[in-house]
Amino acid sequence: MPDPVLLVLDAEPSPRLGRLTGRVEVRYADAATLAERLPAADVLLVWDFASDAVRDAWPGPGRRPRWVHTASAGVDRLLCPELVASDTVLTNARGVFERPIAEYVAGLVLAMAKDLPGTLELQRERRWHHREGQRVAGSRAVVVGAGPIGREITRLLHGLGVTVALVGRTARRTIHGAEDLDRLAARADWVIAAAPLTDATRGMFDSRFFGLLQPSARFINVGRGASVVQADLVDALNRRWFAGAALDVFEDEPLGADSPLWDVPGLLVSPHLSGDTVGWRDRLGEQFVALYERWSRGEPLPNVVDKQRGYVPSADLDGTGDANG
Amino acid sequence: MPDPVLLVLDAEPSPRLGRLTGRVEVRYADAATLAERLPAADVLLVWDFASDAVRDAWPGPGRRPRWVHTASAGVDRLLCPELVASDTVLTNARGVFERPIAEYVAGLVLAMAKDLPGTLELQRERRWHHREGQRVAGSRAVVVGAGPIGREITRLLHGLGVTVALVGRTARRTIHGAEDLDRLAARADWVIAAAPLTDATRGMFDSRFFGLLQPSARFINVGRGASVVQADLVDALNRRWFAGAALDVFEDEPLGADSPLWDVPGLLVSPHLSGDTVGWRDRLGEQFVALYERWSRGEPLPNVVDKQRGYVPSADLDGTGDANG
């Protein structure tokens, strides 16, 4: 029997695929060649997770891989009706990004509370100007998105003495349902968006939402750019409806030099890096190799995405181990 | 019996002294008038804690207050041989600054690990440039100074998953003695100075010390400026001996616009604000009023400084409650 064909979507190969040498036939594709090479593949590894190529190529003619793994937490760039309707299994990189993103959010919360951006600005001007910071302990946060990333953010902020409300799609145990969000946001010091991009979250942070916030509140998005109506956010910040925001994700990435977002007062812009700590590509490669070992032995895969919902459901999160150890 | 005389060193009175109305005669002094007014005072409240006036005025002729309270954690600006030798009781503001300073340090650690200063710089240039951050969990810190501030820093960093070694003057229980510092610093990712200024700590962070650090290490000083040999730090950073530093305290404060410290590569300069969160002056005022109540009833005071050592010894820290609740 011939080795299974593993098709890798990327110019830059995963650093750990060498471990599968002799057990798999590795082929590569880019956006231009994916449609043509897809029918011959048993497994598709979406290593270039910022690409829309899968959504574009999948609906074409021919056979399709039985398993698709994406080296990302979000799967919104991949999903198309044909992939959703197929019996192809889709897995994601759960386990790699949670802690780095939670650290990044905790760092933003502390840095904004202590006005670190203002301190750096004053340093450039060689000006000694004492200001009073805010205490983080005792402040209130709402984390929107009750998946593993939102949960890790909740855990880390809680350790800093922040009172955190975690909001998911539906209420369960310690998680609030979406119906509680407005009430919780209206009294929060921090609103942190860490939700997957779905029909329910697209554009959910709009003028109506920003109008609910306290003047002292700050908004942080480490989920998906399209959950924010960017024009509404810019407008709300320009009108000082609330105190500040930080975006790590955007509708269109990378952000062009002519984007109006770069110099909105009170807006901190970072280039989609919150989850990316030294060694992250190695960890993503190791994770895929571990999943491949299970798949080749016919064992059930962890991190299986509910394609209808667009994320790994939390029942599975509670029930399965972390593929990344 | 006449009311005790409370002399307040400051132009700006404590917001809470009104609570002592009718029980104390409040007088004010500044640096120019302190020496003349000191003999008539029963209690001295050093509200202007950045002043050297006490050290200058104390050695003069006449009677001295029985109790001096400073609205600061450090007492180095007050101590002179005559005050040390006297039977005047000296108390400090333990309980007010610990948590804010620990939050500030945690914020610096996370912001430096994620290169937030670089992100802000790139945002000004409207440049999308992805970089990899460092993971804070699993990194190693040494906190120098085992008083309540150093302990709170240790607690908060530990909660972020950092392995923290706390170094005091002498080893006891979970605290390392000064003899362990070099060994611990040589393998640390973070060295955090939170020590009082004493003969033992003055100039302790010098070229010899900075030469021990790993190239990836960062140094943070929230203690006292004079514990660092500033020229040695600038030299070490210019030579890239280690990765970066943040100073919140300086030998001479405020730092003048012509200071060479403002633009040293990898050095973050902040204007002695790490402990100062909204409401801090109220809290300092409340703390003094609470101590005054005890003093006026003849009860023992907490937060009593060992004037020989220059700080509140940790046996007392363990044994007494926190004056600030």
Side-chain angles (χ1 to χ4, degrees):
Chain A
M1 206 174 70
D3 287 338
V5 172
L6 167 64
L7 186 62
V8 181
L9 175 64
D10 200 358
E12 181 193 354
S14 153
R16 300 300 170 119
L17 287 186
R19 298 210 182 151
L20 300 178
T21 303
R23 291 186 286 160
V24 67
E25 185 190 333
V26 181
R27 300 180 188 171
Y28 291 91
D30 57 20
T33 55
L34 184 63
E36 167 204 333
R37 297 183 186 176
L38 214 41
D42 297 295
V43 179
L44 173 65
L45 167 59
V46 183
W47 189 248
D48 178 9
F49 50 78
S51 165
D52 288 326
V54 176
R55 198 165 53 194
D56 295 338
W58 197 273
R63 186 176 155 266
R64 288 293 172 260
R66 287 170 283 156
W67 169 35
V68 175
H69 176 77
T70 178
S72 61
V75 297
D76 48 281
R77 288 187 179 279
L78 283 73
L79 292 179
C80 55
E82 293 80 0
L83 173 54
V84 172
S86 73
D87 55 8
T88 293
V89 172
L90 174 61
T91 56
N92 77 353
R94 184 171 72 85
V96 174
F97 296 106
E98 287 80 352
R99 187 59 178 255
I101 293 179
E103 289 185 351
Y104 189 80
V105 168
L108 281 179
V109 164
L110 289 162
M112 291 168 109
K114 311 302 180 185
D115 190 24
L116 189 62
T119 293
L120 290 164
E121 175 77 34
L122 287 160
Q123 181 175 354
R124 269 198 314 284
E125 300 170 2
R126 309 175 76 93
R127 280 176 58 204
W128 181 279
H129 174 47
H130 180 274
R131 291 103 60 220
E132 293 178 351
Q134 288 159 10
R135 221 175 149 102
V136 167
S139 67
R140 278 189 285 224
V142 177
V143 175
V144 183
I149 294 173
R151 293 174 193 207
E152 189 69 8
I153 293 170
T154 298
R155 209 185 62 72
L156 225 55
L157 291 183
H158 183 76
L160 293 171
V162 179
T163 303
V164 189
L166 182 59
V167 178
R169 204 175 54 118
T170 50
R172 53 199 189 274
R173 292 192 302 277
T174 59
I175 299 173
H176 293 268
E179 64 279 8
D180 290 346
L181 177 57
D182 286 4
R183 181 176 58 79
L184 293 165
R187 60 182 195 188
D189 300 294
W190 312 97
V191 175
I192 294 144
L197 184 61
T198 66
D199 289 343
T201 63
R202 186 178 298 274
M204 72 180 287
F205 301 109
D206 57 5
S207 286
R208 191 202 65 81
F209 181 83
F210 294 127
L212 298 171
L213 302 185
Q214 300 189 101
S216 59
R218 293 189 180 91
F219 174 78
I220 296 171
N221 189 10
V222 289
R224 277 293 180 258
S227 67
V228 172
V229 180
Q230 288 181 0
D232 287 6
L233 174 64
V234 171
D235 193 55
L237 286 170
N238 277 324
R239 294 169 193 269
R240 314 283 156 122
W241 284 1
F242 58 102
L247 301 181
D248 187 52
V249 288
F250 305 88
E251 242 180 296
D252 293 305
E253 299 179 3
L255 212 59
D258 58 349
S259 167
L261 293 175
W262 290 112
D263 50 13
V264 179
L267 178 60
L268 197 156
V269 167
S270 57
H272 203 149
L273 50 63
S274 70
D276 307 341
T277 49
V278 174
W280 65 297
R281 288 180 179 273
D282 280 356
R283 286 189 286 275
L284 288 169
E286 280 164 19
Q287 178 179 52
F288 174 74
V289 169
L291 289 180
Y292 188 88
E293 307 275 11
R294 295 177 75 145
W295 181 81
S296 64
R297 290 193 299 262
E299 295 170 13
L301 291 175
N303 296 13
V304 173
V305 173
D306 180 326
K307 293 182 287 181
Q308 293 287 347
R309 296 197 201 168
Y311 52 88
V312 180
S314 55
D316 293 357
L317 291 179
D318 296 338
T320 63
D322 185 329
N324 206 37
Chain B
M1 206 174 71
D3 286 338
V5 172
L6 167 63
L7 186 63
V8 181
L9 175 65
D10 200 359
E12 181 193 357
S14 152
R16 300 301 170 121
L17 286 186
R19 298 210 182 149
L20 300 177
T21 303
R23 290 185 287 161
V24 66
E25 185 189 332
V26 181
R27 299 179 189 170
Y28 292 91
D30 57 18
T33 56
L34 183 64
E36 167 205 333
R37 297 182 187 177
L38 214 41
D42 296 295
V43 179
L44 174 65
L45 168 59
V46 183
W47 189 248
D48 178 10
F49 50 79
S51 165
D52 288 327
V54 175
R55 197 164 55 194
D56 295 340
W58 196 274
R63 186 173 154 269
R64 287 292 172 261
R66 286 171 283 158
W67 170 36
V68 175
H69 176 76
T70 178
S72 62
V75 298
D76 48 280
R77 289 188 178 278
L78 283 73
L79 292 179
C80 56
E82 293 80 0
L83 172 54
V84 172
S86 74
D87 54 10
T88 292
V89 172
L90 174 61
T91 55
N92 78 351
R94 183 170 74 85
V96 173
F97 296 106
E98 287 80 352
R99 185 63 178 250
I101 292 177
E103 289 185 352
Y104 189 80
V105 168
L108 282 178
V109 163
L110 288 163
M112 291 168 109
K114 310 303 178 184
D115 190 24
L116 189 60
T119 293
L120 290 164
E121 176 77 32
L122 288 160
Q123 181 176 353
R124 267 196 316 283
E125 300 169 4
R126 310 176 75 93
R127 279 177 58 204
W128 180 280
H129 176 46
H130 180 274
R131 292 104 58 221
E132 294 179 350
Q134 288 159 8
R135 222 176 148 103
V136 167
S139 67
R140 278 191 285 225
V142 177
V143 175
V144 184
I149 294 172
R151 293 173 192 210
E152 188 70 7
I153 293 169
T154 299
R155 208 184 63 73
L156 225 54
L157 291 183
H158 183 77
L160 292 171
V162 179
T163 302
V164 190
L166 181 59
V167 178
R169 203 175 52 118
T170 50
R172 54 199 187 276
R173 293 191 302 279
T174 58
I175 299 172
H176 292 268
E179 66 278 9
D180 290 346
L181 177 58
D182 286 3
R183 181 177 57 79
L184 293 165
R187 60 181 194 189
D189 300 293
W190 312 96
V191 175
I192 293 146
L197 185 61
T198 66
D199 288 344
T201 64
R202 186 178 299 275
M204 72 180 288
F205 301 109
D206 57 5
S207 285
R208 191 202 64 82
F209 181 84
F210 295 127
L212 299 171
L213 302 185
Q214 299 189 103
S216 58
R218 294 187 179 92
F219 174 78
I220 295 173
N221 189 9
V222 289
R224 278 292 181 259
S227 67
V228 173
V229 180
Q230 288 181 0
D232 287 7
L233 174 63
V234 171
D235 193 54
L237 285 170
N238 277 325
R239 293 170 193 271
R240 314 283 157 123
W241 284 2
F242 59 101
L247 301 181
D248 187 52
V249 289
F250 304 88
E251 243 180 296
D252 294 305
E253 299 179 5
L255 211 59
D258 58 349
S259 167
L261 294 174
W262 292 112
D263 51 13
V264 178
L267 178 59
L268 196 156
V269 167
S270 57
H272 202 149
L273 49 65
S274 71
D276 307 342
T277 47
V278 173
W280 64 297
R281 289 182 178 271
D282 280 357
R283 287 188 286 275
L284 288 169
E286 280 163 20
Q287 178 179 53
F288 174 74
V289 168
L291 289 181
Y292 187 88
E293 308 275 10
R294 295 177 75 145
W295 181 81
S296 64
R297 292 192 298 263
E299 293 169 14
L301 290 174
N303 297 13
V304 172
V305 173
D306 180 326
K307 293 181 289 180
Q308 294 286 347
R309 297 197 200 166
Y311 53 87
V312 180
S314 55
D316 293 358
L317 290 180
D318 295 339
T320 63
D322 185 330
N324 205 36

PDB file of all heavy atoms in Angstrom, chain A residues 127-138:
ATOM      1  N   ARG A 127      10.799  64.030  29.210  1.00  0.00           N
ATOM      2  CA  ARG A 127      10.013  64.754  30.207  1.00  0.00           C
ATOM      3  C   ARG A 127       9.669  63.890  31.402  1.00  0.00           C
ATOM      4  O   ARG A 127       9.108  62.805  31.266  1.00  0.00           O
ATOM      5  CB  ARG A 127       8.704  65.253  29.594  1.00  0.00           C
ATOM      6  CG  ARG A 127       8.852  66.526  28.781  1.00  0.00           C
ATOM      7  CD  ARG A 127       7.528  66.874  28.143  1.00  0.00           C
ATOM      8  NE  ARG A 127       6.468  67.044  29.143  1.00  0.00           N
ATOM      9  CZ  ARG A 127       5.164  66.897  28.897  1.00  0.00           C
ATOM     10  NH1 ARG A 127       4.756  66.552  27.702  1.00  0.00           N
ATOM     11  NH2 ARG A 127       4.267  67.081  29.843  1.00  0.00           N
ATOM     12  N   TRP A 128       9.993  64.378  32.599  1.00  0.00           N
ATOM     13  CA  TRP A 128       9.622  63.729  33.861  1.00  0.00           C
ATOM     14  C   TRP A 128       8.243  64.235  34.233  1.00  0.00           C
ATOM     15  O   TRP A 128       8.083  65.386  34.627  1.00  0.00           O
ATOM     16  CB  TRP A 128      10.648  64.122  34.921  1.00  0.00           C
ATOM     17  CG  TRP A 128      10.420  63.515  36.271  1.00  0.00           C
ATOM     18  CD1 TRP A 128       9.551  63.943  37.233  1.00  0.00           C
ATOM     19  CD2 TRP A 128      11.095  62.387  36.839  1.00  0.00           C
ATOM     20  NE1 TRP A 128       9.625  63.159  38.350  1.00  0.00           N
ATOM     21  CE2 TRP A 128      10.572  62.193  38.137  1.00  0.00           C
ATOM     22  CE3 TRP A 128      12.092  61.523  36.369  1.00  0.00           C
ATOM     23  CZ2 TRP A 128      11.026  61.178  38.981  1.00  0.00           C
ATOM     24  CZ3 TRP A 128      12.527  60.506  37.215  1.00  0.00           C
ATOM     25  CH2 TRP A 128      11.996  60.347  38.500  1.00  0.00           C
ATOM     26  N   HIS A 129       7.240  63.379  34.076  1.00  0.00           N
ATOM     27  CA  HIS A 129       5.886  63.806  34.414  1.00  0.00           C
ATOM     28  C   HIS A 129       5.206  62.679  35.179  1.00  0.00           C
ATOM     29  O   HIS A 129       4.785  61.680  34.609  1.00  0.00           O
ATOM     30  CB  HIS A 129       5.112  64.148  33.119  1.00  0.00           C
ATOM     31  CG  HIS A 129       3.673  64.468  33.361  1.00  0.00           C
ATOM     32  ND1 HIS A 129       3.259  65.336  34.363  1.00  0.00           N
ATOM     33  CD2 HIS A 129       2.544  64.045  32.748  1.00  0.00           C
ATOM     34  CE1 HIS A 129       1.931  65.412  34.350  1.00  0.00           C
ATOM     35  NE2 HIS A 129       1.485  64.637  33.387  1.00  0.00           N
ATOM     36  N   HIS A 130       5.108  62.865  36.491  1.00  0.00           N
ATOM     37  CA  HIS A 130       4.513  61.843  37.339  1.00  0.00           C
ATOM     38  C   HIS A 130       3.001  61.761  37.104  1.00  0.00           C
ATOM     39  O   HIS A 130       2.340  62.769  36.966  1.00  0.00           O
ATOM     40  CB  HIS A 130       4.784  62.196  38.812  1.00  0.00           C
ATOM     41  CG  HIS A 130       4.215  61.199  39.771  1.00  0.00           C
ATOM     42  ND1 HIS A 130       2.917  61.261  40.233  1.00  0.00           N
ATOM     43  CD2 HIS A 130       4.763  60.107  40.342  1.00  0.00           C
ATOM     44  CE1 HIS A 130       2.705  60.252  41.058  1.00  0.00           C
ATOM     45  NE2 HIS A 130       3.799  59.535  41.141  1.00  0.00           N
ATOM     46  N   ARG A 131       2.486  60.533  36.968  1.00  0.00           N
ATOM     47  CA  ARG A 131       1.035  60.332  36.895  1.00  0.00           C
ATOM     48  C   ARG A 131       0.654  59.206  37.856  1.00  0.00           C
ATOM     49  O   ARG A 131       1.494  58.421  38.265  1.00  0.00           O
ATOM     50  CB  ARG A 131       0.596  59.914  35.488  1.00  0.00           C
ATOM     51  CG  ARG A 131       0.720  61.005  34.428  1.00  0.00           C
ATOM     52  CD  ARG A 131       1.937  60.775  33.546  1.00  0.00           C
ATOM     53  NE  ARG A 131       1.852  59.505  32.857  1.00  0.00           N
ATOM     54  CZ  ARG A 131       2.879  58.672  32.664  1.00  0.00           C
ATOM     55  NH1 ARG A 131       4.102  58.942  33.126  1.00  0.00           N
ATOM     56  NH2 ARG A 131       2.727  57.561  31.999  1.00  0.00           N
ATOM     57  N   GLU A 132      -0.638  59.134  38.149  1.00  0.00           N
ATOM     58  CA  GLU A 132      -1.142  58.053  38.987  1.00  0.00           C
ATOM     59  C   GLU A 132      -1.646  56.927  38.100  1.00  0.00           C
ATOM     60  O   GLU A 132      -2.403  57.174  37.165  1.00  0.00           O
ATOM     61  CB  GLU A 132      -2.282  58.562  39.873  1.00  0.00           C
ATOM     62  CG  GLU A 132      -1.809  59.574  40.902  1.00  0.00           C
ATOM     63  CD  GLU A 132      -2.934  60.119  41.752  1.00  0.00           C
ATOM     64  OE1 GLU A 132      -4.105  59.843  41.449  1.00  0.00           O
ATOM     65  OE2 GLU A 132      -2.626  60.819  42.728  1.00  0.00           O
ATOM     66  N   GLY A 133      -1.236  55.702  38.409  1.00  0.00           N
ATOM     67  CA  GLY A 133      -1.739  54.554  37.671  1.00  0.00           C
ATOM     68  C   GLY A 133      -3.050  54.064  38.246  1.00  0.00           C
ATOM     69  O   GLY A 133      -3.565  54.627  39.224  1.00  0.00           O
ATOM     70  N   GLN A 134      -3.592  53.051  37.610  1.00  0.00           N
ATOM     71  CA  GLN A 134      -4.795  52.408  38.142  1.00  0.00           C
ATOM     72  C   GLN A 134      -4.419  51.076  38.753  1.00  0.00           C
ATOM     73  O   GLN A 134      -3.482  50.428  38.324  1.00  0.00           O
ATOM     74  CB  GLN A 134      -5.827  52.199  37.024  1.00  0.00           C
ATOM     75  CG  GLN A 134      -6.468  53.494  36.582  1.00  0.00           C
ATOM     76  CD  GLN A 134      -7.064  53.390  35.208  1.00  0.00           C
ATOM     77  OE1 GLN A 134      -7.173  52.316  34.637  1.00  0.00           O
ATOM     78  NE2 GLN A 134      -7.442  54.526  34.662  1.00  0.00           N
ATOM     79  N   ARG A 135      -5.173  50.713  39.767  1.00  0.00           N
ATOM     80  CA  ARG A 135      -4.972  49.424  40.390  1.00  0.00           C
ATOM     81  C   ARG A 135      -5.695  48.372  39.559  1.00  0.00           C
ATOM     82  O   ARG A 135      -6.867  48.567  39.212  1.00  0.00           O
ATOM     83  CB  ARG A 135      -5.582  49.485  41.788  1.00  0.00           C
ATOM     84  CG  ARG A 135      -4.793  48.840  42.857  1.00  0.00           C
ATOM     85  CD  ARG A 135      -5.487  49.117  44.184  1.00  0.00           C
ATOM     86  NE  ARG A 135      -5.258  48.025  45.092  1.00  0.00           N
ATOM     87  CZ  ARG A 135      -4.381  48.062  46.078  1.00  0.00           C
ATOM     88  NH1 ARG A 135      -3.669  49.133  46.306  1.00  0.00           N
ATOM     89  NH2 ARG A 135      -4.218  47.020  46.867  1.00  0.00           N
ATOM     90  N   VAL A 136      -5.022  47.296  39.232  1.00  0.00           N
ATOM     91  CA  VAL A 136      -5.654  46.222  38.454  1.00  0.00           C
ATOM     92  C   VAL A 136      -6.451  45.301  39.377  1.00  0.00           C
ATOM     93  O   VAL A 136      -7.567  44.894  39.044  1.00  0.00           O
ATOM     94  CB  VAL A 136      -4.582  45.446  37.648  1.00  0.00           C
ATOM     95  CG1 VAL A 136      -5.143  44.145  37.100  1.00  0.00           C
ATOM     96  CG2 VAL A 136      -4.061  46.327  36.505  1.00  0.00           C
ATOM     97  N   ALA A 137      -5.883  44.987  40.535  1.00  0.00           N
ATOM     98  CA  ALA A 137      -6.607  44.159  41.502  1.00  0.00           C
ATOM     99  C   ALA A 137      -7.908  44.866  41.861  1.00  0.00           C
ATOM    100  O   ALA A 137      -7.914  46.067  42.136  1.00  0.00           O
ATOM    101  CB  ALA A 137      -5.772  43.945  42.752  1.00  0.00           C
ATOM    102  N   GLY A 138      -9.001  44.124  41.828  1.00  0.00           N
ATOM    103  CA  GLY A 138     -10.289  44.710  42.148  1.00  0.00           C
ATOM    104  C   GLY A 138     -11.028  45.274  40.951  1.00  0.00           C
ATOM    105  O   GLY A 138     -12.194  45.658  41.074  1.00  0.00           O
TER     106      GLY A 138
END
